[in-house]
Amino acid sequence: MATTVRRAVLTLPAAPLGPENPLPALRTLDEAHVLDERARDGLPREMARQIGYAPLRGVLPARILDGYGRERSEREFEAVVIENARLRATVLPELGGRVHSLTEKTPDGAERELLYRNPVFQPAAFALNGAWFSGGIEWNIGATGHTTLSCATLHTALVPAPDGGTMLRMWEWERLRDLPFQVDLWLPEDSAFLYVGVRVRNPHERPAPVYWWSNIAVPEHEGTRVLVPADEAWRFGYERTLSRIPVPEWDGADRTYPLRGEYPADYFYELPDGTRPWIAALGADGRGLVQTSTAALRGRKLFVWGSGAGGRRWQEWLTEPGTGGYAEIQAGLARTQLEHVKLAAGGEFSWLEAYGPLAADPDAVHGDDWAGAREEAGARLAAALPPAQVDAAYEAWRPYADREPEERWVTGSGWGALEVVRGGLKLPGTPFEEDGLGEQQTPWLELLRTGAFPVPRRVVPPGPSLVAPHWRDMLETAPADPLTEYHLGVAQWHAGDVAQAVRSWERGLELAPSRWPLLRCLAVADELAGDAERAADRYAEAFEDLCEECRGGEAWTAAVTALGREALSALLAAARPEGARAVWDRLPAAVRARGRFRLLESRLLLAEGDIEGARAVFDAGFEVADLREGDTAVSDQWSRLTDAPVPARYDFRMRP
């Protein structure tokens, strides 16, 4: 069977993604994978340097995605299927280019899924900007955490493959670091391994911090064991510490079995220099998935949810009842996900990955001899895919990385096109054409060409802000109307110039016909400066102004929802339940029914002294759809109301 690449439709029960949150993400990044400063002492010099290099403080200019729910209905997703006689890969360009399924086809006609294939699409707040979903192989670029492109549509096209066949190319402009990247997938005829060529480019005149981890969700069974050529690992738990531990056994348990630990944890393996990088997850029968790469992708990791109540609850939360759990095996540019690697001006990082089935002797894989187990898996991999073959495939792919797409199938965002127009950039192989510019980019193109940011023809919530230095410079020289001052303040805030940002917002407020966007920015500044009272005042005024201005429709509902949530939280933090009640009463009924607002209602009732009413909210039941990884807000509120154990449905605790 010759390799085919075809379009398809994948139908899944899916929760709607919902609109973007229109409020700029001014707060410090809420990311669980942050290392306490004191915990860096004693780390290897390179690791410590890269942990301290350009950590992400926020997700601007990306917008937060928190408008999804948990009610699912059938939805069709555009898919691409790459298939030969031995393997079939299903890719979802609309969802960050995720490889949804990788199926081994055996000579007897049977099929075996190598990945954890989520039977539903259920967003949850795990990406840097919110919405993310579990399962498959995902491509994480940007900064520590799941990429802001987890649920984004990537540019997708067909390109000639090095073996004479067809290659699937996906590419986008990663906005946190302002870098273009591409992912090329091809399946040589009669190959049992899917090849993936990845390239990240820095077209700027300054170095850039780069982060990349390929995350592979694999089925988690009692007999699943993860094998990797390492005797040591760096363990990161949700206590935010990094400690060097032996592999496989630590603290009385063999940690290469994902279920032999109670709490979620990351294990970053210490591969000796010169060792072939690979990682495999094999079941009780010695069969499963292996991933290997060229040497540039040096890091390997295991993430486990653990066997505790919180980890099990998260597993259920991300899919549907009765679905098996998963673990993640991963591969990255650095030893740990806490690091960023410097990419020189005008430079690029590129490498090749290979994914496929592996069958090893189960007695050796699951024996007590760790060296023997990993040597068995390594030998089977060497026989199935020699390292020289991977290196040769990479060298064969490199000239094709610049080949221009021949047939465009899916169109991504217009942000890359805007940057190409602005910088006059040439990016062979990843075209960002000007005709791909959309509604969100149009005012910025006008700023670029005329020097003035346009005033919208009708009253609408402000569009996304751009914060890179070149856009900030243009805003500073543009006519100082209120909308320009609003966007300029956001860019200054992102640059760390808080005082100047506040001055810009205050100047804009003097003449603004629409006051609530500026008031909200000033309220966040007050809140983070520790002035809870003034923050509450400004939030109350902003919400009042928004309600008076609201025109109806999805964009306005998103604004009311986002600002109402922040205003409620700020007023409760300032011990002003009467103000919080006034906000609550003006929220639409559909917004008040959302799980996040049900939790806020319980807090409001408690602040008003109605403990029974606050507890009744829990008794009636609710689900906070956008609960953040590591967030204990639900169980914390429960504990304020009662000494009873936290019910399983509300227990998302990820650490002791």
Side-chain angles (χ1 to χ4, degrees), residues 491-510:
Q492 291 164 334
W493 179 275
H494 177 262
D497 194 346
V498 173
Q500 191 58 56
V502 168
R503 283 193 288 271
S504 295
W505 292 327
E506 288 176 341
R507 282 197 306 268
L509 194 60
E510 294 174 3

Side-chain angles (χ1 to χ4, degrees), residues 45-399:
R45 182 176 301 175
E46 181 192 34
M47 182 187 294
R49 183 178 67 251
Q50 293 186 161
I51 288 174
Y53 173 52
L56 197 68
R57 304 300 182 191
V59 298
L60 287 169
R63 282 184 151 184
I64 301 298
L65 295 174
D66 58 5
Y68 50 85
R70 293 193 52 82
E71 292 185 4
R72 298 188 285 265
S73 58
E74 294 294 304
R75 175 184 162 186
E76 293 184 347
F77 293 91
E78 185 155 8
V80 179
V81 176
I82 308 171
E83 185 173 15
N84 67 7
R86 304 179 68 181
L87 208 62
R88 180 172 62 249
T90 303
V91 185
L92 303 178
E94 293 178 275
L95 296 176
R98 186 79 58 101
V99 179
H100 174 70
S101 169
L102 189 63
T103 305
E104 176 191 11
K105 301 193 287 186
T106 60
D108 61 3
E111 295 189 347
R112 181 186 182 107
E113 178 60 55
L114 298 175
L115 302 174
Y116 167 74
R117 181 171 56 189
N118 197 333
V120 305
F121 171 68
Q122 178 55 64
F126 279 66
L128 289 165
N129 63 333
W132 170 87
F133 65 104
S134 66
I137 305 171
E138 57 178 304
W139 319 110
N140 288 296
I141 180 173
T144 300
H146 295 283
T147 177
T148 60
L149 298 168
S150 291
C151 295
T153 299
L154 304 189
H155 297 280
T156 305
L158 300 185
V159 185
D163 65 345
T166 300
M167 183 162 63
L168 180 71
R169 173 165 300 160
M170 299 179 291
W171 70 98
E172 247 303 351
W173 192 277
E174 200 288 310
R175 300 176 66 211
L176 299 185
R177 303 302 195 181
D178 256 344
L179 301 176
F181 72 98
Q182 70 190 78
V183 179
D184 292 352
L185 300 94
W186 77 102
L187 184 57
E189 186 172 347
D190 201 38
S191 172
F193 285 84
L194 176 70
Y195 288 156
V196 181
V198 181
R199 177 166 64 168
V200 181
R201 285 185 276 191
N202 179 10
H204 306 297
E205 296 178 351
R206 63 185 187 279
V210 174
Y211 169 95
W212 183 282
W213 282 80
S214 301
N215 289 13
I216 310 129
V218 292
E220 175 192 68
H221 304 296
E222 188 61 42
T224 301
R225 192 178 202 187
V226 172
L227 297 112
V228 63
D231 290 315
E232 292 182 306
W234 295 92
R235 181 186 183 277
F236 181 83
Y238 286 80
E239 307 84 12
R240 300 190 172 184
T241 58
L242 193 64
S243 54
R244 196 166 190 159
I245 65 169
V247 176
E249 290 197 14
W250 174 75
D251 197 23
D254 186 331
R255 304 295 169 159
T256 60
Y257 289 90
L259 289 173
R260 296 186 186 177
E262 185 175 1
Y263 292 100
D266 299 322
Y267 298 93
F268 301 102
Y269 295 107
E270 187 71 45
L271 273 62
D273 291 341
T275 301
R276 180 185 188 181
W278 61 270
I279 189 168
L282 307 181
D285 59 356
R287 298 170 61 90
L289 173 81
V290 66
Q291 186 270 1
T292 187
S293 69
T294 48
L297 205 65
R298 61 175 295 188
R300 290 299 184 276
K301 172 196 163 183
L302 166 64
F303 166 74
V304 298
W305 282 108
S307 59
R312 295 299 94 194
R313 182 70 181 107
W314 275 115
Q315 292 263 38
E316 296 169 358
W317 184 253
L318 296 170
T319 182
E320 62 181 9
T323 303
Y326 73 95
E328 287 180 356
I329 56 175
Q330 306 180 14
L333 278 177
R335 278 187 287 194
T336 74
Q337 286 177 333
L338 309 176
E339 302 169 65
H340 298 89
V341 183
K342 183 179 290 188
L343 177 57
E348 67 176 53
F349 289 141
S350 63
W351 61 89
L352 184 127
E353 304 181 46
Y355 296 82
L358 189 69
D361 178 1
D363 292 334
V365 165
H366 297 286
D368 294 332
D369 180 6
W370 170 244
R374 70 175 195 233
E375 287 169 8
E376 163 67 10
R380 296 298 182 113
L381 171 60
L385 186 65
Q389 188 171 328
V390 175
D391 292 338
Y394 169 73
E395 294 300 331
W397 166 71
R398 285 295 292 118

Side-chain angles (χ1 to χ4, degrees), residues 85 109 131 162 172 194 230 396 408 450 558 600 608 647 654:
E172 247 303 351
L194 176 70
R408 295 287 289 268
T450 70
L600 284 167
E608 292 173 332
M654 301 178 74

